[in-house]
Amino acid sequence: MRVRPLLALTAAGAALVAVAPQAGAATVQAAPLPTCRPSAVEVGARADARDKTVVRITVTNRGRHTCAVDRLPTVTFGNLDGAAQHVPPGESGPYRLVTGQEAYATVRTVGTAGDETRRVGGVTVAADPSHHGRTFSARELGAGRYVEVWEPVSSWWMGSARAADEAVGVGRG
């Protein structure tokens, strides 16, 4: 009677040995994607037509190869210190962009209506912190003469504009 369980254990052990990596065997890992060159990506930004405290941003891979940007867009405001905080909070990491692919993020420039605000002449958006980014004047954004800012938040790069809006609690109209 004891032979059967022992055989089963031996067969299970043999199966584990067969699938376990051998000592000294090299493991193959995918090479990390290169960071997209600034000239390979196109950054866009536009204020919401009804709520000027919402800015929708995009990044498009116009290059010939798949590359990566940081999954956390960098959004700064005029001459103010700091950048929009990310929702949810997170750490840097790669966001893969296939040639021709567009990614979306939404920025809410004022945390709560009625909050104290600062006024700036424009917003700078970088797809990756290693890029200088592109500055959009308030007029280019469609926000009027200035952009109001107080405790701004930004979504991560997302696969859809709706997901980016939802991340920062903005409804699409």
Side-chain angles (χ1 to χ4, degrees):
M1 292 287 263
R2 290 186 182 251
V3 173
R4 284 187 129 169
L6 185 57
L7 286 177
L9 181 60
T10 303
L16 284 174
V17 170
V19 297
Q22 302 299 313
T27 57
V28 178
Q29 293 181 342
L33 282 173
T35 299
C36 297
R37 292 188 328 268
S39 61
V41 295
E42 181 179 298
V43 175
R46 188 87 182 135
D48 185 88
R50 287 186 269 174
D51 184 353
K52 304 298 184 211
T53 66
V54 173
V55 177
R56 293 188 176 89
I57 60 177
T58 58
V59 61
T60 307
N61 181 353
R62 298 286 186 210
R64 297 188 330 225
H65 305 285
T66 297
C67 57
V69 294
D70 195 296
R71 67 179 167 198
L72 306 173
T74 303
V75 183
T76 57
F77 302 88
N79 60 355
L80 301 178
D81 289 341
Q85 297 300 303
H86 295 98
V87 177
E91 295 183 18
S92 292
Y95 185 92
R96 184 176 192 258
L97 280 175
V98 175
T99 299
Q101 180 182 9
E102 189 169 51
Y104 308 85
T106 299
V107 180
R108 194 168 18 93
T109 65
V110 177
T112 304
D115 274 353
E116 174 184 348
T117 63
R118 300 287 186 261
R119 294 177 175 177
V120 296
V123 174
T124 301
V125 178
D128 189 89
S130 67
H131 299 177
H132 287 292
R134 178 175 170 199
T135 299
F136 298 87
S137 71
R139 291 192 193 280
E140 285 177 293
L141 290 171
R145 292 183 6 198
Y146 53 84
V147 175
E148 290 186 337
V149 183
W150 191 258
E151 297 182 351
V153 295
S154 170
S155 70
W156 298 15
W157 289 120
M158 304 276 185
S160 74
R162 180 174 305 281
D165 280 359
E166 289 172 359
V168 296
V170 172
R172 291 185 75 83

